[in-house]
Amino acid sequence: MKSKALLSLFLTLYCLTTSAKVFNVMAPLIIGDPNNLSSEYSKAELRKFQDQLKEIKSLGATGVSTDIWWGLIEKEDNKFNWQYYQVLSDLIIDAGLKWVPILSFHQCGGNVGDTCDVPIPNWLWQKYGASAMSKSEQGNFSKEYLSVWSTHKAINEFYEVMDSFKMNFSHKMKDIYEINVSLGPAGELRYPSYNSHDNGSGYPTRGALQAYSELAVESFRNYVRNKYSNIDTVNFMWGFNLSSFKEVAPPNPFFFFPAQEQHTNYGKDFYNWYSKSLREHGKRILGAAIDTFRSEAHIQLGFKVPGIHWRVAPGADRLAELNAGLISTDQDIFSDKTGHGYNRIIGIINELRREKDFHQLNFHFTCLEMNNLEGPTNAQSYAKALVFWVAQEAQRQGVRILGENALAGTLYSHKSWDNIADALYFGNYDGVTFLRMGTILSSQLAKDRFRQMTKQ
């Protein structure tokens, strides 16, 4: 009898968890010509999209996410045009699907899978200057997103976008599942450490630090000054011989300090400041979203952190994650007790819960479809372990976590679907957003597995 009772309890819990799963798909980055919806090309593309929506709905999809490109909706300061997104959202809702708008404050172009070119509004650079760009150790500037050290100055711009969205789509709020907020390049809370503005910084390298703009250097110096008060203490703690705080700087870009020095006092202080700056930026933009949408009682807000799975396997230096700002060496990044370094970035949600008294916040994580040790040996990929480490930490903190596949082409493989299923049913993930709807519908294997997963 005892075993039957335990089995009944297990089945009940299993049904409760599986019934809550969400299966969203991403729409194409751009559909037709957003600037000319009446053209024959746009009409044909919108009809095709409408047919795809019907088919993905029949396969069991919950909702469809669309990027709302800042460069399309606000070409002039505080002058908005929402016509294109009114049309897209109408098609999604009419198909019986939930809409998941992504407030895409980043550019389209320069990232893996980008098939469009939509920069963020150029007037932002005229208004806030080159200092609002990220500057890398290679001396290159990124215009993909306002840098994390400038968003406090530009926070009103984010409020204006969100306020305008709320006003123009108030009649559709009941049909929105979640509003996802872009917090960095590719819509992810990270630095552009492996993006196309730098050379040789992509997968599977360590990436390039993005801490060399005037605002970034000033911020680092202020952090060190606030922590140590005087330069003699800095020299004692770091083993340096600096004459003033003006000499405090990020790592020399021409002589990047080796892996073993990431854990020196200087390395710990640098990475603590670097990752903390990113988190403070994320909280600032999410806080604006909470202020704007809290009156919509059912609305959930979400943000995404990338699964930077390379240089993670046992014995690896974790530098790709460090240089993207996700983790920091001032704590043990190899321990379950810190979620292998992800406790702080996941903890943003609980900080906002306390500070803003808002609880409908979701954490999204990528690379659910990947195995450990995939790719070249030097990649030291440990994707599947990372997916479970992050989920375990989210569960420990009581944070709702959802996932994504990192690459669209992986959906043609049974193994990828098996890994996604493992994350859903054994890894605490409450749902998946699939990259991308067209990829699923172009493959019988993907359609069959998607249908099987949604009906399970």
Side-chain angles (χ1 to χ4, degrees):
M1 290 295 292
K2 187 175 181 180
S3 61
K4 287 183 179 180
L6 288 172
L7 178 60
S8 176
L9 176 61
F10 171 78
L11 290 173
T12 300
L13 291 173
Y14 179 80
C15 290
L16 285 171
T17 56
T18 55
S19 65
K21 303 300 183 187
V22 176
F23 300 96
N24 295 330
V25 295
M26 298 183 197
L29 295 170
I30 291 288
I31 301 168
D33 181 357
N35 300 307
N36 187 6
L37 292 175
S38 61
S39 70
E40 290 304 313
Y41 168 68
S42 290
K43 290 178 180 177
E45 288 298 301
L46 289 169
R47 285 194 298 270
K48 177 183 175 182
F49 181 57
Q50 190 172 28
D51 291 340
Q52 289 179 324
L53 291 171
K54 292 177 183 176
E55 186 173 6
I56 204 70
K57 169 65 175 176
S58 71
L59 296 177
T62 308
V64 177
S65 68
T66 59
D67 285 283
I68 296 180
W69 300 112
W70 198 356
L72 288 181
I73 59 169
E74 194 181 7
K75 294 180 179 180
E76 296 181 56
D77 191 359
N78 210 22
K79 293 182 179 180
F80 293 92
N81 185 342
W82 296 100
Q83 181 188 6
Y84 172 63
Y85 293 104
Q86 292 287 5
V87 171
L88 291 192
S89 56
D90 280 343
L91 292 176
I92 292 168
I93 294 166
D94 289 347
L97 292 156
K98 289 294 185 181
W99 183 31
V100 184
I102 306 168
L103 298 179
S104 297
F105 295 110
H106 60 287
Q107 76 172 28
C108 182
N111 290 294
V112 174
D114 281 358
T115 55
C116 63
D117 182 18
V118 184
I120 66 174
N122 192 55
W123 56 263
L124 287 166
W125 308 120
Q126 297 169 359
K127 191 170 184 177
Y128 296 101
S131 64
M133 302 177 191
S134 296
K135 184 179 180 182
S136 77
E137 62 185 75
Q138 297 182 18
N140 299 320
F141 290 89
S142 170
K143 299 173 72 173
E144 292 204 29
Y145 198 100
L146 292 173
S147 89
V148 306
W149 297 283
S150 67
T151 49
H152 69 286
K153 297 181 177 181
I155 192 63
N156 192 54
E157 313 297 348
F158 295 88
Y159 272 105
E160 288 177 356
V161 172
M162 295 174 188
D163 286 338
S164 182
F165 175 87
K166 182 181 178 182
M167 180 178 66
N168 281 274
F169 293 95
S170 59
H171 60 298
K172 295 181 180 178
M173 287 292 173
K174 67 182 185 303
D175 297 303
I176 292 175
Y177 174 75
E178 177 194 76
I179 297 173
N180 200 280
V181 184
S182 158
L183 299 177
E188 299 167 337
L189 182 57
R190 65 172 174 89
Y191 292 106
S193 55
Y194 52 93
N195 289 60
S196 57
H197 65 290
D198 282 322
N199 299 314
S201 63
Y203 168 86
T205 73
R206 65 171 176 82
L209 287 168
Q210 306 293 312
Y212 298 86
S213 68
E214 290 181 8
L215 290 177
V217 174
E218 179 185 10
S219 173
F220 183 46
R221 287 174 181 162
N222 287 337
Y223 166 85
V224 174
R225 184 182 288 108
N226 290 335
K227 180 172 182 177
Y228 293 116
S229 299
N230 64 76
I231 199 67
D232 290 336
T233 306
V234 174
N235 288 328
F236 175 78
M237 294 300 297
W238 289 0
F240 285 14
N241 188 27
L242 307 176
S243 60
S244 72
F245 281 104
K246 291 183 179 180
E247 295 182 3
V248 170
N252 187 319
F254 301 105
F255 299 97
F256 186 85
F257 52 106
Q260 62 267 29
E261 293 190 19
Q262 317 309 312
H263 300 273
T264 63
N265 286 334
Y266 172 76
K268 291 176 181 179
D269 281 336
F270 171 77
Y271 276 117
N272 184 33
W273 160 80
Y274 191 62
S275 60
K276 184 179 180 182
S277 297
L278 181 71
R279 297 194 306 274
E280 288 176 345
H281 150 83
K283 283 181 61 180
R284 188 176 297 117
I285 309 303
L286 287 170
I290 291 170
D291 293 343
T292 304
F293 298 111
R294 68 162 59 251
S295 61
E296 304 294 335
H298 75 287
I299 288 291
Q300 300 180 66
L301 299 176
F303 70 100
K304 180 167 63 173
V305 168
I308 301 178
H309 55 89
W310 57 101
R311 305 176 80 108
V312 176
D317 55 29
R318 308 287 300 275
L319 276 172
E321 299 156 282
L322 286 163
N323 294 343
L326 306 187
I327 60 176
S328 172
T329 55
D330 68 310
Q331 63 173 358
D332 187 350
I333 57 177
F334 303 97
S335 170
D336 285 343
K337 293 180 179 179
T338 67
H340 292 255
Y342 285 83
N343 57 328
R344 291 172 177 166
I345 203 162
I346 293 170
I348 286 173
I349 286 183
N350 279 324
E351 291 174 19
L352 286 168
R353 285 172 174 170
R354 292 190 297 270
E355 295 169 16
K356 295 282 188 177
D357 191 27
F358 185 87
H359 298 270
Q360 297 95 256
L361 289 167
N362 299 326
F363 185 90
H364 293 251
F365 195 69
T366 68
C367 80
L368 264 64
E369 82 277 25
M370 295 183 176
N371 285 317
N372 292 333
L373 304 178
E374 278 190 359
T377 302
N378 69 327
Q380 297 178 291
S381 172
Y382 224 47
K384 189 158 187 172
L386 184 62
V387 163
F388 277 79
W389 290 338
V390 171
Q392 182 180 23
E393 179 60 24
Q395 185 175 34
R396 188 184 71 81
Q397 294 195 32
V399 167
R400 186 170 187 243
I401 187 169
L402 300 101
E404 294 182 10
N405 56 305
L407 300 171
T410 57
L411 295 182
Y412 301 132
S413 159
H414 278 296
K415 186 60 181 176
S416 294
W417 286 91
D418 291 342
N419 286 332
I420 293 170
D422 286 347
L424 278 171
Y425 300 116
F426 304 107
N428 192 45
Y429 285 83
D430 269 355
V432 183
T433 299
F434 288 91
L435 172 68
R436 190 168 297 272
M437 179 169 68
T439 305
I440 293 174
L441 297 180
S442 68
S443 162
Q444 190 60 49
L445 181 153
K447 285 195 288 188
D448 289 344
R449 292 301 302 263
F450 185 84
R451 183 190 292 110
Q452 177 188 15
M453 188 172 285
T454 62
K455 304 302 182 186
Q456 186 169 340

